[in-house]
């Protein structure tokens, strides 16, 4: 008995140029490739995690033109011409350094799967809502799921950074007033 030949249809591809973390990537992708897969599989940027692939868990949160977005919901092709930043772009960012230290101090880390998306969202909260209270921080985190921490440490970490930054601004104002 001989095997029947199997013919597969040709795979359609498209050229995609992405600006990620200040670097230009020329990629050949299937049109349906979402940004999370393009970042991980074609750019080698693995801090972006893929969880639910439905935009619910927030593990794939990245920054597009300065605002957090889910990379699993966006076609990579759709984001040509946009400024994309992943967690890797924030290695030397002072706010992200504060957040990483606070996440560690407040025990906001366990398995770590949600952490990149949480950090991206946390940075947005800190920069956009410097006066946020616990209720607002919790509300802002509603789009990021964590199965391990119960959120208490994550919320405490963000509130710690907000307090530290407010104290820093206050002490600078006092120094300039003197």
């Amino acid at each position: 008995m001989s095997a029947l030949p199997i013919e597969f249809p040709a795979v359609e591809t498209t050229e995609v140029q992405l600006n990620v973390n200040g670097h230009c990537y020329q990629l050949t992708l299937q049109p349906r490739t979402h940004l999370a897969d393009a970042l991980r599989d074609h750019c080698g940027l693995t801090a972006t995690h893929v969880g639910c692939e439905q935009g619910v868990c927030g593990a794939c949160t990245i920054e597009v033109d300065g605002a957090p977005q889910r990379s699993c919901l966006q076609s990579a092709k759709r984001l040509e011409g946009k400024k994309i930043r992943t967690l890797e772009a924030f290695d030397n960012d002072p706010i992200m350094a504060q957040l990483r230290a606070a996440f560690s101090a407040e025990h906001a880390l366990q398995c770590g799967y949600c952490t990149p998306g949480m950090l991206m969202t946390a940075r947005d909260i800190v920069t956009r809502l410097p006066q946020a209270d616990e209720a607002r921080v919790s509300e802002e985190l509603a789009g990021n799921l964590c199965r391990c921490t119960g959120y208490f440490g994550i919320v405490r970490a963000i509130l710690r950074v907000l307090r530290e930054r407010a104290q820093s601004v206050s002490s600078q104002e006092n120094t300039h007033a003197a």
Side-chain angles (χ1 to χ4, degrees):
M1 178 173 219
S2 64
L4 295 175
I6 299 174
E7 290 187 38
F8 293 98
V11 176
E12 181 184 341
T13 61
T14 185
E15 297 300 311
V16 179
Q17 183 176 341
L18 297 176
N19 176 352
V20 184
N21 302 337
H23 301 287
C24 182
Y25 291 87
Q26 287 286 119
L27 308 173
T28 302
L29 305 171
Q30 291 181 17
R32 64 187 177 91
T33 302
H34 56 67
L35 181 61
D37 282 345
L39 293 171
R40 291 183 62 80
D41 300 340
H42 300 274
C43 300
L45 299 167
T46 57
T48 302
H49 290 174
V50 179
C52 68
E53 295 187 87
Q54 297 175 16
V56 176
C57 74
C60 69
T61 303
I62 47 103
E63 189 180 277
V64 177
D65 289 341
Q69 293 211 1
R70 303 292 193 260
S71 61
C72 75
L73 294 177
Q74 307 287 335
S75 142
K77 181 75 175 168
R78 185 170 181 240
L79 294 171
E80 282 186 309
K82 304 286 186 179
K83 182 180 175 187
I84 301 164
R85 293 202 303 174
T86 67
L87 188 62
E88 289 93 345
F90 295 94
D91 283 349
N92 298 315
D93 182 77
I95 296 170
M96 197 60 83
Q98 278 184 289
L99 284 164
R100 286 190 301 264
F103 268 55
S104 182
E106 296 294 342
H107 307 288
L109 304 163
Q110 284 191 23
C111 83
Y113 200 81
C114 71
T115 304
M118 286 289 186
L119 284 169
M120 295 297 287
T121 300
R123 187 179 185 286
D124 176 64
I125 294 168
V126 168
T127 58
R128 189 173 45 86
L129 302 167
Q131 307 296 323
D133 61 7
E134 184 175 350
R136 183 62 189 263
V137 169
S138 295
E139 179 182 335
E140 293 290 323
L141 286 175
N144 292 71
L145 302 180
C146 175
R147 294 178 156 226
C148 301
T149 67
Y151 295 93
F152 299 114
I154 296 168
V155 171
R156 281 193 314 263
I158 295 169
L159 291 172
R160 174 187 279 230
V161 172
L162 288 170
R163 272 192 317 274
E164 289 171 358
R165 294 180 63 75
Q167 289 170 350
S168 174
V169 167
S170 176
S171 68
Q172 286 176 359
E173 288 173 355
N174 291 338
T175 303
H176 292 297

